[in-house]
Amino acid sequence: MDLGYGVLWLLTVLLEGISCQGVYAPPTVRIIHSGLACNIEEERYSERVYTIREGETLELTCLVTGHPRPQIRWTKTAGSASDRFQDSSVFNETLRIENIQRHQGGRYYCKAENGLGSPAIKSIRVDVYYLDDPIVTVHQSIGEAKEQFYYERTVFLRCIANSNPPVRYSWKRGEEILLQGSDKGVEIYEPFFTQGETKILKLKNLRPQDYANYSCIASVRNVCNIPDKMVSFKLSNRTASPSIKLLVDDPIVVNPGEAITLVCVTTGGEPTPTLLWVRSTGTLPEKTVLKGGTLTIPAITSEDAGTYSCIANNNVGNPAKKSTSIIVRALKKGRFWITPDPYHKDDNIQIGREVKISCQVEAVPSEELTFSWFKNGRPLRSSERMVITQTDPDVSPGTTNLDIIDLKFTDFGTYTCVASLKGGGISDISIDVNISSSTVPPNLTVPKGKSPMVAREGDTIELQCQISGKPKPIIMWSRADKDVPMPDGSMQMESYDGILRIVNVSREMTGTYRCQTSQYNGFNVKPRDALVQLIVQYPPAVEPLFQEIRQGLGHSVTMNCRVLRAYPTRVLMYEWRLGNKLLEKGQFDSQDFTELTVNILAKEHYGTYNCSIINEAGSGRCSFLITGKAYPPEFYYDTYNPLWQNKAQIYSYKLQWTQMNPDAVDRILAYRLGIRQAGLQRWWEREISVNGIIKKGELMTNNLTELVRPEPYEVRLTPINRFGEGDSAIRIIKYSAPINPHLREFHCGFEESNICLFTQDDADIFDWTKQSASTRDTRYTPNTGPTTDAGGSKHGFYMYIETSRPRMDGEKARLLSPVFNIAQKNPYGSSNTVYCFSFFYHMYGKHIGTLNILLRLKGQTSTDIPLWSARGNKGEQWKQAHLNIHPTSSFQLIFEGVRGDGIEGDIAIDDISIMEGECSIIDQPDTTPSSGGNGTFIHIWLYPVFLFLSVLSHQR
């Protein structure tokens, strides 16, 4: 290792406070923004507020520190509800929402955790601004004056628009702006109960001049460059609220398959009303055809039935509404039941006693339902012994009864109930019921050998209950031992043959099932039931299903496979195998686990071990991967100066990492380092040797050289031990400006997401914003701000202050550079180092304010010293400023933008550079705002004494 690198390492240890054991650190987090923010403000106590226009792109980046690298998660709360994003971007450092909508406003949290300490959480509130088109509604009132012979007609024009922030309204009559008090016949006010939501224009005792065009202008004061919106309404002596009529009957009863047309026409209203059809139960059917006020439904079905309404609206008075109901004829679900004489306990049918036959269907419309009774095919009429009745629809809808009084032998036969609809077009339902000496109530039994039933998981099983009796009723199946649904999800399942068929049986279906007679298609008597037990066998469930165990050569390792559940539990066998080689087998006694131990690991012992635990239903398997692979390294992302420049177009990178669990396996002998340019396939590899034993938390470093600017590279690092290659870690490295531990050279073009570690000042009024010309919206302020970055690219980034509303004259935004630690000439004296500080600035617009540069010296107290200042319009071009600075301690540079007296005052900065040595060009003072000069600078030269402590540290 060369001497220069050793010095660099010492400085890193001193200035960063990183020791071999102290490199692990809990997470910290900071949220930065980019994209199209209107404004960023600091709330007084809690969090930052990010204002954005609806439809723009929200982009928030979560910058984290901590080692190991923290995991990031974005969450959002809105009011009292919390929701997590469903896409994968929740785990990315950058949260990006394109075309943001108003409901996506709320508080966004970035949470970072790495297992050390408490998670780090920061939040920012996103406020989405929007303005909808305003709507004017008109209401009229007519009041009779007492003891006089005239009517007073008053008109109210109400204007309303949804917006954020709250909207301001103004009214115009023609081109005349209406103000409260400017016309005695006009009153403008906000209703108390809707304060801020609307503004009403009241025209009292309507006059001829009041018949005119009225305009309502809704404004949010150009916040986020949202333009004002206007709506107009022409008031005349013909202005009237809408009225309509339907050219159809109510209700409309149709047969399935017919086409139905509903016609709605306007009978009044000025302006001409618009017509809208709606359905009470939801959306209109997809096949609906709309043409003006005519609605057509071709080939109607029962699902299309419901109430349809025609609504007319012209924003005058209340909308007019007319409705009609569409009824689609239907007949379905024909059923019957037989009720023996209720005055005797016997459930059988007997000669000389009463018997009742009931028949039921579902009918639409119910008032069209008619029943006919037949005996042996001949019509049957109601008589003293054969009484035909229809049950009250509120008790049992769609039901007819035939009571046979004093049953005789001659009454035996087949009785038929026929249900039909008066309107026709629907097929009748016919139900046959046989009454004879063989008509007996049902009995329910379980066939021998059909309970308990045993099945294996995944099989198809049939549970059976045997029915005797005539007629055979419908059988209802349910769970008897659990209040849980049946396999199809319902609480009961019907069966006409007494068989319940279950496909793909699972272990949760084990239990007792009840079969029970229903009254339908059988006797209306006390239900008969029986129980069937189902036992589902399943192979053992074991843990762990898979476990990786890392252990070095010569050590011992123990594997444990445990049974969680199994049926049957008896005769459990186990087998241990390495690959296909049987190592051990046996039978369980009372324990629920089996172990296998390898006392001294050799190379042939590495591999996959499978433990199979077996019962009658199958086997469960635990798998163990025994390996000597080393754990992956953990890249260290918090190096304060990871990059520095070697020469033109070439850069180097200080790659740092720690080793995860270095003592868990064998000693690390070397690392294989692979590197390739992003997007290419070929890896360049070399080995990095390791001397000695790596300690936990020890920070290792390797310099990557001859990297081409500004290309990113993919780096792969693989530990090697006696076993061979371990797990790799991969990261992307990118070129950025050099920052600390001591300053030699610094460049920043704001291209990286972390904006070169610049930060917003918490004490200012608003923030600087990262922007590029390709994404900048110039529709509302085209005469200010840059059209490219300082290098002439429309896709390059720069920082600027947005001076549109709600910014006010004199408000300040301050951008702070990273803290720079200067190089000392000797360890006991002060530094006389001079640096050339240069930057590009853009100050174009008639309302340009001031750009100030300040130097903040760090010490027991911080001191801000003015360096340079420029004010006023400098023309539509980038200018460069150069000045020498002589810091005597660690320092920061502050860019302070001051808003001018209007919205065309955007100030931008780009391509900041700090280099050791004096500038070859020095700006001359120029305080003339319009001359295009470079501004005013202050020559700084300070000499406090600074004590520098050197630290010796071992460098691998």
Side-chain angles (χ1 to χ4, degrees):
M1 190 62 63
D2 61 25
L3 180 60
Y5 185 76
V7 173
L8 181 61
W9 168 256
L10 292 176
L11 289 170
T12 303
V13 172
L14 173 66
L15 298 173
E16 298 177 24
I18 298 175
S19 67
C20 287
Q21 298 300 321
V23 69
Y24 287 105
T28 66
V29 65
R30 181 163 62 94
I31 296 176
I32 65 171
H33 62 85
S34 58
L36 300 175
C38 306
N39 181 40
I40 296 89
E41 295 180 351
E42 298 291 336
E43 285 196 346
R44 187 170 182 183
Y45 298 110
S46 56
E47 62 184 0
R48 306 175 73 198
V49 181
Y50 181 107
T51 304
I52 189 169
R53 180 174 174 175
E54 188 174 51
E56 303 289 8
T57 297
L58 170 70
E59 191 169 294
L60 302 174
T61 300
C62 195
L63 297 183
V64 297
T65 65
H67 188 71
R69 184 69 167 172
Q71 296 292 316
I72 295 173
R73 163 165 283 188
W74 284 95
T75 56
K76 177 200 168 192
T77 60
S80 59
S82 176
D83 61 284
R84 284 185 175 172
F85 308 109
Q86 300 302 313
D87 55 73
S88 59
S89 67
V90 67
F91 296 106
N92 292 342
E93 290 187 4
T94 299
L95 171 67
R96 182 179 173 88
I97 302 176
E98 296 183 357
N99 190 26
I100 191 168
Q101 299 300 303
R102 61 195 66 178
H103 69 272
Q104 293 174 303
R107 186 174 302 165
Y108 287 80
Y109 290 87
C110 174
K111 179 181 180 181
E113 52 187 338
N114 64 356
L116 299 178
S118 300
I121 302 175
K122 289 289 184 181
S123 68
I124 186 169
R125 185 162 64 84
V126 175
D127 206 1
V128 181
Y129 279 5
Y130 58 91
L131 174 61
D132 291 344
D133 292 329
I135 298 173
V136 169
T137 58
V138 181
H139 298 271
Q140 304 182 60
S141 67
I142 299 176
E144 183 178 356
K146 292 184 178 180
E147 301 178 358
Q148 297 188 33
F149 299 97
Y150 69 88
Y151 289 94
E152 180 185 86
R153 185 181 180 191
T154 300
V155 173
F156 300 86
L157 280 73
R158 180 192 297 266
C159 186
I160 189 167
N162 296 320
S163 73
N164 183 33
V167 69
R168 290 183 182 176
Y169 300 98
S170 57
W171 283 97
K172 293 173 66 177
R173 179 168 52 196
E175 296 301 320
E176 175 193 3
I177 298 175
L178 296 176
L179 301 173
Q180 178 64 24
S182 62
D183 185 335
K184 292 183 178 180
V186 174
E187 183 180 347
I188 300 174
Y189 66 95
E190 294 181 0
F192 178 76
F193 55 89
T194 58
Q195 198 74 25
E197 296 180 9
T198 183
K199 182 158 284 190
I200 293 178
L201 177 67
K202 180 180 179 181
L203 305 175
K204 300 178 290 184
N205 193 16
L206 208 62
R207 305 162 299 179
Q209 62 265 35
D210 293 329
Y211 294 122
N213 283 321
Y214 290 86
S215 300
C216 171
I217 299 96
S219 174
V220 289
R221 298 153 312 276
N222 204 36
V223 169
C224 287
N225 293 322
I226 298 176
D228 298 346
K229 295 189 176 182
M230 183 176 72
V231 61
S232 296
F233 183 88
K234 183 178 181 180
L235 182 66
S236 71
N237 57 1
R238 292 179 297 175
T239 299
S241 58
S243 60
I244 56 173
K245 69 176 181 179
L246 295 182
L247 305 181
V248 293
D249 297 329
D250 183 31
I252 304 171
V253 182
V254 296
N255 294 324
E258 294 181 356
I260 185 72
T261 299
L262 309 180
V263 180
C264 176
V265 296
T266 59
T267 57
E270 176 68 29
T272 303
T274 58
L275 298 178
L276 174 69
W277 279 100
V278 296
R279 186 183 180 190
S280 60
T281 56
T283 58
L284 297 174
E286 291 185 3
K287 57 191 174 185
T288 301
V289 178
L290 288 171
K291 187 176 181 180
T294 302
L295 178 149
T296 302
I297 306 175
I300 199 165
T301 64
S302 296
E303 290 74 22
D304 302 328
T307 301
Y308 289 74
S309 301
C310 175
I311 301 174
N313 188 19
N314 65 352
N315 292 335
V316 179
N318 296 320
K321 180 178 179 180
K322 296 286 185 179
S323 302
T324 187
S325 296
I326 297 179
I327 299 172
V328 182
R329 291 188 178 93
L331 267 181
K332 55 185 177 180
K333 285 191 177 180
R335 289 175 168 176
F336 74 90
W337 59 90
I338 302 170
T339 306
D341 193 335
Y343 300 104
H344 296 81
K345 294 182 179 180
D346 193 349
D347 291 340
N348 291 294
I349 296 175
Q350 295 186 20
I351 299 295
R353 293 181 182 176
E354 179 182 343
V355 62
K356 180 166 69 174
I357 306 171
S358 299
C359 176
Q360 184 184 65
V361 295
E362 290 184 9
V364 178
S366 58
E367 57 268 21
E368 289 190 4
L369 176 62
T370 61
F371 287 103
S372 302
W373 282 93
F374 298 84
K375 179 186 177 184
N376 297 328
R378 295 180 179 181
L380 190 65
R381 299 183 180 276
S382 184
S383 64
E384 291 184 358
R385 287 188 58 251
M386 298 282 185
V387 182
I388 300 174
T389 60
Q390 196 152 337
T391 306
D392 186 342
D394 294 332
V395 177
S396 181
T399 305
T400 182
N401 306 295
L402 172 63
D403 278 290
I404 304 175
I405 311 298
D406 188 17
L407 183 68
K408 300 181 182 301
F409 182 79
T410 56
D411 294 328
F412 287 166
T414 299
Y415 292 84
T416 303
C417 160
V418 178
S420 59
L421 293 178
K422 294 178 183 178
I426 301 296
S427 300
D428 297 344
I429 291 181
S430 180
I431 303 169
D432 292 334
V433 183
N434 185 265
I435 302 294
S436 68
S437 58
S438 62
T439 303
V440 293
N443 191 27
L444 205 57
T445 58
V446 177
K448 186 176 181 180
K450 294 297 184 179
S451 180
M453 295 291 290
V454 179
R456 293 185 178 179
E457 219 169 18
D459 288 351
T460 296
I461 188 71
E462 290 185 349
L463 307 185
Q464 183 177 354
C465 283
Q466 188 170 329
I467 316 167
S468 61
K470 185 180 179 182
K472 293 182 179 180
I474 297 172
I475 302 300
M476 308 301 295
W477 284 91
S478 61
R479 296 291 291 266
D481 56 342
K482 298 176 184 177
D483 187 19
V484 294
M486 294 289 286
D488 69 346
S490 64
M491 297 307 294
Q492 285 187 326
M493 294 175 65
E494 288 186 355
S495 170
Y496 287 85
D497 58 2
I499 294 176
L500 174 65
R501 182 181 175 87
I502 304 175
V503 179
N504 194 20
V505 173
S506 65
R507 65 193 67 179
E508 293 78 14
M509 298 177 187
T510 295
T512 303
Y513 290 75
R514 173 182 285 112
C515 58
Q516 186 178 60
T517 59
S518 72
Q519 71 174 27
Y520 299 120
N521 297 2
F523 274 70
N524 182 21
V525 295
K526 182 180 179 180
R528 275 63 166 166
D529 63 8
L531 301 177
V532 179
Q533 186 179 8
L534 173 63
I535 298 172
V536 180
Q537 294 182 343
Y538 54 90
V542 297
E543 69 172 5
L545 295 176
F546 176 81
Q547 182 180 0
E548 183 184 63
I549 301 177
R550 303 197 186 209
Q551 188 58 274
L553 294 169
H555 295 81
S556 66
V557 63
T558 298
M559 294 158 279
N560 183 300
C561 185
R562 182 177 300 275
V563 180
L564 300 176
R565 296 171 300 277
Y567 194 87
T569 56
R570 64 185 186 276
V571 197
L572 285 176
M573 308 291 292
Y574 66 85
E575 291 182 352
W576 284 95
R577 293 178 180 271
L578 174 58
N580 294 322
K581 181 182 178 183
L582 179 63
L583 303 177
E584 184 180 318
K585 64 184 299 183
Q587 182 173 329
F588 280 91
D589 295 325
S590 59
Q591 77 275 20
D592 61 354
F593 67 92
T594 174
E595 282 186 350
L596 179 67
T597 300
V598 180
N599 292 316
I600 302 176
L601 272 175
K603 283 191 174 182
E604 60 269 19
H605 295 144
Y606 288 124
T608 300
Y609 291 75
N610 291 317
C611 174
S612 298
I613 299 179
I614 308 159
N615 68 358
E616 296 176 20
S619 64
R621 187 170 69 180
C622 300
S623 291
F624 301 87
L625 175 60
I626 308 300
T627 177
K629 291 173 62 174
Y631 287 94
E634 300 169 314
F635 285 114
Y636 187 66
Y637 286 80
D638 298 341
T639 305
Y640 200 47
N641 185 26
L643 302 175
W644 68 95
Q645 184 177 355
N646 256 350
K647 49 189 174 181
Q649 303 304 316
I650 300 297
Y651 73 99
S652 300
Y653 194 94
K654 184 170 70 175
L655 187 70
Q656 293 187 299
W657 70 92
T658 60
Q659 176 60 44
M660 181 189 296
N661 301 329
D663 303 327
V665 200
D666 277 343
R667 182 175 75 83
I668 305 297
L669 303 175
Y671 286 94
R672 176 166 287 113
L673 175 68
I675 184 169
R676 66 181 178 187
Q677 191 171 315
L680 301 182
Q681 297 297 319
R682 185 177 179 183
W683 289 91
W684 296 92
E685 293 187 331
R686 66 182 177 89
E687 284 196 4
I688 304 171
S689 61
V690 175
N691 298 320
I693 298 175
I694 300 175
K695 298 178 182 178
K696 182 176 178 59
E698 183 176 349
L699 192 64
M700 290 163 281
T701 303
N702 184 267
N703 290 341
L704 306 179
T705 60
E706 300 301 318
L707 306 178
V708 179
R709 294 175 57 185
E711 300 297 334
Y713 288 83
E714 191 174 2
V715 177
R716 181 177 64 196
L717 195 61
T718 308
I720 301 172
N721 60 10
R722 287 189 295 168
F723 175 84
E725 292 189 355
D727 290 336
S728 300
I730 297 178
R731 68 166 295 185
I732 301 294
I733 61 172
K734 298 179 181 179
Y735 174 79
S736 67
I739 305 170
N740 280 344
H742 70 259
L743 182 62
R744 296 293 184 193
E745 184 178 346
F746 173 84
H747 301 281
C748 179
F750 301 112
E751 302 301 323
E752 293 77 31
S753 61
N754 66 357
I755 56 174
C756 310
L757 299 185
F758 275 76
T759 57
Q760 310 283 353
D761 191 341
D762 293 340
D764 60 7
I765 303 299
F766 67 110
D767 282 355
W768 289 78
T769 302
K770 180 180 176 180
Q771 186 62 280
S772 71
S774 63
T775 59
R776 181 168 175 261
D777 190 345
T778 59
R779 288 175 294 178
Y780 307 108
T781 54
N783 299 318
T784 187
T787 57
T788 67
D789 69 354
S793 170
K794 288 186 175 293
H795 301 283
F797 288 92
Y798 52 85
M799 299 296 289
Y800 86 112
I801 60 169
E802 172 59 66
T803 57
S804 299
R805 295 183 181 92
R807 300 278 64 85
M808 304 294 291
D809 187 10
E811 290 185 347
K812 297 179 180 180
R814 288 159 66 98
L815 187 67
L816 310 181
S817 76
V819 176
F820 297 110
N821 297 312
I822 64 175
Q824 300 293 327
K825 295 301 183 183
N826 64 77
Y828 301 105
S830 63
S831 169
N832 293 327
T833 304
V834 62
Y835 293 96
C836 177
F837 166 46
S838 66
F839 62 95
F840 283 85
Y841 61 96
H842 192 283
M843 300 174 68
Y844 167 60
K846 64 183 179 181
H847 302 133
I848 290 292
T850 304
L851 175 61
N852 297 319
I853 311 298
L854 300 96
L855 178 70
R856 175 173 291 178
L857 296 176
K858 311 293 284 187
Q860 291 185 347
T861 60
S862 295
T863 304
D864 293 350
I865 303 170
L867 284 182
W868 183 93
S869 182
R871 62 184 174 85
N873 186 2
K874 304 299 180 186
E876 192 175 0
Q877 59 185 318
W878 284 97
K879 294 178 174 292
Q880 189 174 21
H882 301 80
L883 55 152
N884 292 327
I885 58 174
H886 303 264
T888 56
S889 65
S890 300
F891 69 94
Q892 285 177 285
L893 291 164
I894 301 173
F895 291 81
E896 181 182 77
V898 183
R899 200 252 195 193
D901 58 359
I903 63 173
E904 294 184 6
D906 295 353
I907 298 174
I909 58 173
D910 198 6
D911 288 354
I912 296 165
S913 175
I914 305 173
M915 299 184 66
E916 193 172 14
E918 292 191 356
C919 299
S920 58
I921 302 173
I922 299 294
D923 290 337
Q924 297 302 317
D926 186 346
T927 59
T928 306
S930 60
S931 68
N934 289 334
T936 303
F937 72 93
I938 297 93
H939 199 62
I940 303 300
W941 208 214
L942 298 171
Y943 300 96
V945 176
F946 183 82
L947 178 62
F948 184 90
L949 300 178
S950 61
V951 175
L952 297 179
S953 175
H954 171 72
Q955 166 66 33
R956 182 175 299 282

